[in-house]
Amino acid sequence: MQVLVTGGAGYIGSHTVLSLLQSQYDVVVLDNLSNSSVESIKRVEHITGKSVTFIEGDVCDKAKLRQVFSDYTIESVIHFAALKAVGESAQIPLSYYQTNVHGSVCLLEVMQENKVNNFIFSSSATVYGEENQVPYVETMKLGTPSSPYGATKVMVERILADVALANAKFRGVSLRYFNPIGAHESGMIGEDPKGIPNNLLPYVAQVAVGKRDKLSIFGDDYPTQDGSCERDYLHVMDLAQGHVAALDWLNCHGDFTGVEAFNLGTGNGVSVFAIVNTFEQATDQRIPFEVSPRRAGDLAAFWANATKANQALNWQAKRSLQQMMIDTWRWQSNNPNGYLEQ
Ligand code: NAD
Ligand code: UD1
């Protein structure tokens, strides 16, 4: 059984490909390498001792997609490929709608042509928007995200609902990730952002390794326990295993049709100050920081109610916050320039 993983060379994709291989799935990756390196795939092959079929290509290229579906026996698709920088999405929104929405439509069309109905989508906690109260639970209505990036995730979730209404055989899963951090315990694969990191942990790790002087903490006057924002951070390997759990669930529930959403998070909110403290304690590194003004679009605090994934998928985020920090640091200190060093 072959699984097509779009965006499989990226941060979450590469960890998921590793988990799929270790669970005996046969993986075909399609990635245009716009935000990744094929080195991640080579390292996944090295760690697992298994091979991956890698195809360089764009999810908006339907001819390429058709070729992939004709060359391989694809039974399921895990769709990571997307642009994901929230700030950038406000500068070049059309590129975000093109890649994230149009790319998903192209993929779904070619799946339909080939009668492939199993689809797992990378959604985000951002789909709950500003309207919903924490903890977020899947029964809540989709909200209004503060960025074009977030809007693309809401749109694709709506598209999936319509596809399921039109196609009685469609079997879709939206996995709503909270804040994935960390790296595989080998220290060989991890998050390798291009340019200045937008997200907290890559920035902290680059300060620790001496690439940046100090961290800016965006706001200490939020209505939270210590005034900084709270998020639900989960280990990327737990998240990767959530995809295997979702695929196993689809495979074990042959009678399921429609679309189901699952939150993938720990269920705990952790502040920015707590992240800095835990990183320092776990790694023995010092993180100089300053408090800066709030970042536009940030919500004060959100975390998951992860009961549904726990009960239905038998999945739980197991790795501790300390483990997330140790693994982030192992990856960053072994690879100060990410995959570039090869
Ligand atoms: P990433 O940038 O590391 O991975 C995305 C991959 O998709 C990259 O390898 C990139 O080269 C590829 N890609 C981009 N456009 C493509 C295209 N047009 N055709 C083919 N490949 C293309 O990002 P990630 O953090 O691994 O995120 C993976 C998915 O998870 C994305 O859909 C993202 O929106 C979603 N997500 C991420 C987070 C997070 O915190 N990282 C949170 C919620 C949701
Ligand atoms: C952001 C996106 C979200 C996306 C997620 C994963 C916004 C508003 N939200 O989530 O849509 O799904 O990334 O890609 O951008 N922080 C600092 N200093 C830094 C960086 C971050 O203090 O240098 C703080 C932020 O204010 C936030 C927390 O750290 O409170 C986490 O930030 P980040 O890692 O960017 O994730 P989110 O904002 O939760």
Side-chain angles (χ1 to χ4, degrees):
M1 177 185 306
Q2 290 184 307
V3 184
L4 174 63
V5 180
T6 74
Y11 172 47
I12 306 170
S14 56
H15 289 80
T16 302
V17 169
L18 189 154
S19 288
L20 288 166
L21 293 174
Q22 288 179 333
S23 300
Q24 317 311 328
Y25 285 101
D26 193 358
V27 180
V28 177
V29 167
L30 176 91
D31 197 305
N32 70 358
L33 302 179
S34 59
N35 197 38
S36 55
S37 155
V38 78
E39 178 64 20
S40 66
I41 296 292
K42 290 188 184 147
R43 293 191 185 186
V44 166
E45 291 183 322
H46 180 83
I47 296 165
T48 59
K50 296 187 175 184
S51 62
V52 175
T53 303
F54 177 78
I55 297 152
E56 188 168 344
D58 197 297
V59 280
C60 298
D61 180 350
K62 283 173 71 176
K64 186 79 164 192
L65 290 173
R66 288 192 180 107
Q67 192 62 47
V68 172
F69 279 82
S70 127
D71 288 350
Y72 303 95
T73 321
I74 307 295
E75 291 199 12
S76 307
V77 176
I78 305 182
H79 181 37
F80 291 103
L83 302 178
K84 64 155 186 180
V86 172
E88 181 188 67
S89 77
Q91 313 296 319
I92 49 167
L94 296 177
S95 299
Y96 276 69
Y97 291 113
Q98 168 72 8
T99 299
N100 297 10
V101 181
H102 179 65
S104 299
V105 170
C106 290
L107 183 57
L108 288 161
E109 279 177 338
V110 176
M111 284 176 64
Q112 191 170 296
E113 287 168 14
N114 288 277
K115 301 191 170 41
V116 174
N117 288 308
N118 299 322
F119 188 74
I120 298 179
F121 174 60
S122 291
S123 190
S124 166
T126 194
V127 301
Y128 290 103
E130 295 172 20
E131 299 90 332
N132 288 300
Q133 302 293 307
V134 292
Y136 294 150
V137 61
E138 295 87 344
T139 47
M140 290 170 169
K141 285 201 170 125
L142 291 170
T144 316
S146 58
S147 69
Y149 164 77
T152 68
K153 295 292 175 188
V154 170
M155 283 180 193
V156 176
E157 287 217 14
R158 293 224 165 93
I159 289 169
L160 294 182
D162 288 338
V163 168
L165 285 177
N167 171 4
K169 292 189 173 154
F170 188 73
R171 294 148 50 78
V173 171
S174 279
L175 298 179
R176 296 175 179 165
Y177 314 154
F178 281 68
N179 289 59
I181 59 171
H184 185 256
E185 62 185 9
S186 62
M188 289 183 69
I189 58 169
E191 187 165 12
D192 182 20
K194 292 204 164 111
I196 301 171
N198 298 303
N199 298 113
L200 180 59
L201 254 293
Y203 206 104
V204 167
Q206 290 197 6
V207 171
V209 85
K211 287 182 81 175
R212 316 251 163 228
D213 290 344
K214 59 177 179 251
L215 172 73
S216 293
I217 293 183
F218 300 142
D220 66 351
D221 56 353
Y222 283 97
T224 56
Q225 273 195 354
D226 64 20
S228 66
C229 294
E230 293 172 357
R231 295 288 182 271
D232 184 340
Y233 298 94
L234 78 160
H235 197 294
V236 67
M237 284 308 300
D238 282 328
L239 181 60
Q241 281 156 3
H243 292 75
V244 176
L247 193 54
D248 288 346
W249 179 81
L250 275 176
N251 289 331
C252 290
H253 291 78
D255 54 343
F256 163 74
T257 56
V259 190
E260 284 291 332
F262 295 99
N263 290 339
L264 296 183
T266 64
N268 301 313
V270 174
S271 76
V272 181
F273 287 119
I275 287 285
V276 173
N277 286 338
T278 312
F279 188 91
E280 290 188 331
Q281 281 165 19
T283 65
D284 223 11
Q285 302 297 310
R286 214 175 58 80
I287 305 298
F289 68 82
E290 65 182 4
V291 175
S292 317
R294 292 178 176 196
R295 181 173 69 177
D298 272 344
L299 299 181
F302 59 84
W303 58 90
N305 174 328
T307 309
K308 184 176 173 189
N310 186 204
Q311 291 180 347
L313 305 181
N314 195 22
W315 173 88
Q316 201 168 7
K318 294 195 176 112
R319 293 161 177 86
S320 67
L321 198 60
Q322 200 192 33
Q323 192 66 48
M324 300 179 213
M325 303 304 162
I326 290 170
D327 291 339
T328 299
W329 180 234
R330 190 183 295 111
W331 153 252
Q332 184 70 71
S333 52
N334 287 351
N335 307 271
N337 296 315
Y339 292 114
L340 257 187
E341 283 213 315
Q342 282 309 297

